Amino acid sequence: MNPKRILVVGAGHVGLYAALRLSKKLSSREAEVIVVDPQPHMTYQPFLPEAAAGNISPRHSVVPLRRELRRCTVVAGTVTRVEHDRKVATVQPIVGPAREIAYDHVIVAPGSVSRTLPIPGLHEQGIGFKTIGEAIYLRNHVLDRLDVAAVTPDPEVRRSALTFTFVGGGYAGIEALAEMEDMARDAMRYYPELKPEDMRWVLVEATQRVLPEVDRDMGAYTVQQLLKRNMDIRLDTRLESCVDGVVKLSDGDSFRSDTIVWTAGVKPSPMLDATDFPRDDRRRVTCLPTLQVVDGDRVVEGAWSAGDCAAVPDLTKEPGNFCSPSAQHAVRQAARMADNIAAVIRGREPVNYKHKHVGSVASLGLHKGVAQVYGVKMTGWPAWFMHRTYHMSRIPSFNRKVRVVVDWSLAFFLKREVVALGQLHDPREEFVEASQPVGAPRV
Ligand SMILES: Cc1cc2nc3c(=O)[nH]c(=O)nc-3n(C[C@H](O)[C@H](O)[C@H](O)COP(=O)(O)OP(=O)(O)OC[C@H]3O[C@@H](n4cnc5c(N)ncnc54)[C@H](O)[C@@H]3O)c2cc1C
């Protein structure tokens, strides 16, 4: 038989795990697996807060695709269109003209993007917290603001530099806020010009609680811990505008802030608009519990989806509930999907995905955390330790696990690294200056 071609759109939690499993399960006579992603790596997003805080090297919170997917064809590019009625995808490689790739099965896994609102100034001033680039930028930016605050004679400039605003109190927002504050507080010891009390860390959350993934008492504990660290927690409050860095809140308060991080949820990747897959009212690809795409009650043959971009029924709950967008579901769905694709190729029936969300673990900085796993609640050091061991066990590849543990151990003995590499964001500046023709006007 001719090998079936399986096209994987996006090599994130779903795409990488599914491709790995398919390439192990199916022989080259049965299938060839093509993986398309514009990035050369999968980003293990739960480690972004630790990477931003300098506990882990950013390189170690990503997994190189070509190293892990040696039995797959990896294409560095973006899928710009999928015409499933023809079973053809259009791929724009990172260089050169777009090309079409025909397939027998497609795994639609482009994940999600930040869900923003039309708030004046947000587009110009805000930054998300979903990519390794954003995590590295934020780390450099926060440390750079400490330098600015330490040298400026202007109290307004100092206040604005030392005000850090985070919008959205889910686990991404809370972890990012708590880890970065922890890092900045640590760095303060090298700034005799500044006091930790000079910093203002603001969390703006539209609902009455944080961490909706855990019970209310755990959310309340988290707020208490952040308040004890002098953070400014605004529940039931919305960001109304941030034009030119002037933050205006729905409670009437207004202040300048050089840092505005948007972590208020995600929405399915907009690339799905260029496909002919059926979608639900939240723009997610509609799926059966087998992870096959479904249009009404018709199975869309050869189309599979999972992760943040898919509406997968949660069979552990009442009908009408869907799996939450989480790494926990994404990696398990990927495994089930790979097994199901292999089964269908071999003429067998696919099996339903069923997984009861075991809970959440969140780090609130070094040695601080909150966890609720299988109904067991933990706080402080045990929760933080659980967060680390859980995520260390989940990050793909032995290589990454070892590197992450070495990073943690080095930080334990040598203290965390608190140097800003702001030059990374404009590396040619010095060379452009040095290579100016003699007599040319300086720019
Ligand atoms: C800061 C942060 C912390 C988190 N912490 C946790 C946690 O503690 N526990 C938990 O369970 N979950 C956590 N999550 C959520 C979790 O990371 C996501 O639910 C998970 O990554 C979803 O997997 P996915 O495969 O759907 O998408 P992703 O992992 O985002 O992968 C999508 C991939 O598709 C690629 N792509 C996008 N568009 C295209 C295109 N057009 N063509 C080709 N490729 C494309 C992207 O480059 C990316 O590689 C966290 C998320 C964030 C941002």
Side-chain angles (χ1 to χ4, degrees), residues 9-15 36-39 41-43 45-46 48-49 77-80 109-112 129-130 171-172 175 269 271 306-309 325-330 357 361 387 391:
V9 181
H13 286 71
V14 170
V36 186
D37 199 297
Q39 302 301 330
H41 54 72
M42 174 260 194
T43 304
Q45 290 174 353
L48 288 182
T78 304
V79 175
T80 53
S112 56
F129 197 75
K130 268 190 70 63
Y171 48 67
E175 283 194 316
S269 166
M271 94 41 81
D308 284 9
C309 72
S326 67
Q328 197 181 128
H329 277 302
H357 200 259
V361 286
H387 161 86
H391 286 302

Side-chain angles (χ1 to χ4, degrees), residues 8-294:
V8 183
V9 181
H13 286 71
V14 170
L16 176 84
Y17 277 94
L20 258 178
R21 197 161 171 119
L22 281 166
S23 61
K24 284 183 189 151
K25 279 203 123 146
L26 295 171
S27 70
S28 56
R29 275 180 288 110
E30 288 175 296
E32 69 163 317
V33 182
I34 302 179
V35 181
V36 186
D37 199 297
Q39 302 301 330
H41 54 72
M42 174 260 194
T43 304
Y44 189 74
Q45 290 174 353
F47 272 154
L48 288 182
E50 289 228 42
N55 299 327
I56 299 176
S57 160
R59 280 198 312 280
H60 301 160
S61 50
V62 303
V63 181
L65 298 183
R66 286 183 183 273
R67 180 177 184 151
E68 288 311 308
L69 298 174
R70 276 186 238 180
R71 294 167 66 186
C72 305
T73 304
V74 176
V75 179
T78 304
V79 175
T80 53
R81 169 172 296 277
V82 182
E83 293 164 72
H84 191 68
D85 57 349
R86 289 203 296 135
K87 289 201 170 172
V88 165
T90 307
V91 175
Q92 176 58 63
I94 54 173
V95 66
R99 65 171 190 258
E100 291 195 336
I101 298 182
Y103 59 78
D104 299 292
H105 291 266
V106 64
I107 294 178
V108 187
S112 56
V113 295
S114 296
R115 187 184 59 221
T116 55
L117 297 170
I119 293 171
L122 183 61
H123 177 73
E124 296 78 15
Q125 304 291 327
I127 182 163
F129 197 75
K130 268 190 70 63
T131 67
I132 193 68
E134 288 168 334
I136 296 172
Y137 170 82
L138 261 176
R139 170 183 171 69
N140 289 329
H141 173 77
V142 167
L143 292 169
D144 175 69
R145 293 300 90 187
L146 300 190
D147 286 324
V148 168
V151 294
T152 181
D154 184 335
E156 269 300 299
V157 173
R158 173 184 283 216
R159 232 189 321 276
S160 181
L162 292 181
T163 302
F164 306 96
T165 309
F166 286 66
V167 186
Y171 48 67
I174 292 290
E175 283 194 316
L177 167 81
E179 286 282 0
M180 303 229 64
E181 189 268 353
D182 204 50
M183 175 199 71
R185 188 176 285 271
D186 233 19
M188 277 277 171
R189 75 179 102 161
Y190 307 115
Y191 291 84
E193 308 88 334
L194 305 174
K195 299 188 292 297
E197 309 83 82
D198 296 337
M199 292 194 295
R200 183 176 179 194
W201 291 79
V202 187
L203 174 73
V204 182
E205 164 55 46
T207 68
Q208 288 177 342
R209 57 164 304 184
V210 301
L211 292 180
E213 301 81 7
V214 295
D215 285 352
R216 277 191 176 271
D217 56 336
M218 302 304 272
Y221 166 87
T222 304
V223 170
Q224 268 171 20
Q225 294 304 307
L226 300 181
L227 288 172
K228 273 193 197 155
R229 285 157 64 177
N230 274 336
M231 293 193 210
D232 184 348
I233 309 295
R234 308 285 179 108
L235 301 181
D236 226 349
T237 307
R238 291 181 317 281
L239 174 68
E240 298 217 313
S241 98
C242 54
V243 177
D244 296 332
V246 178
V247 172
K248 290 193 177 151
L249 301 180
S250 58
D251 61 7
D253 199 5
S254 169
F255 50 86
R256 294 197 71 87
S257 175
D258 284 3
T259 312
I260 299 164
V261 187
W262 183 265
T263 52
V266 294
K267 64 178 181 190
S269 166
M271 94 41 81
L272 297 173
D273 295 341
T275 69
D276 49 4
F277 296 118
R279 320 264 293 278
D280 72 353
D281 54 350
R282 288 165 65 178
R283 312 305 293 147
R284 299 172 296 188
V285 177
T286 47
C287 292
L288 289 174
T290 53
L291 305 160
Q292 287 164 298
V293 176
V294 66

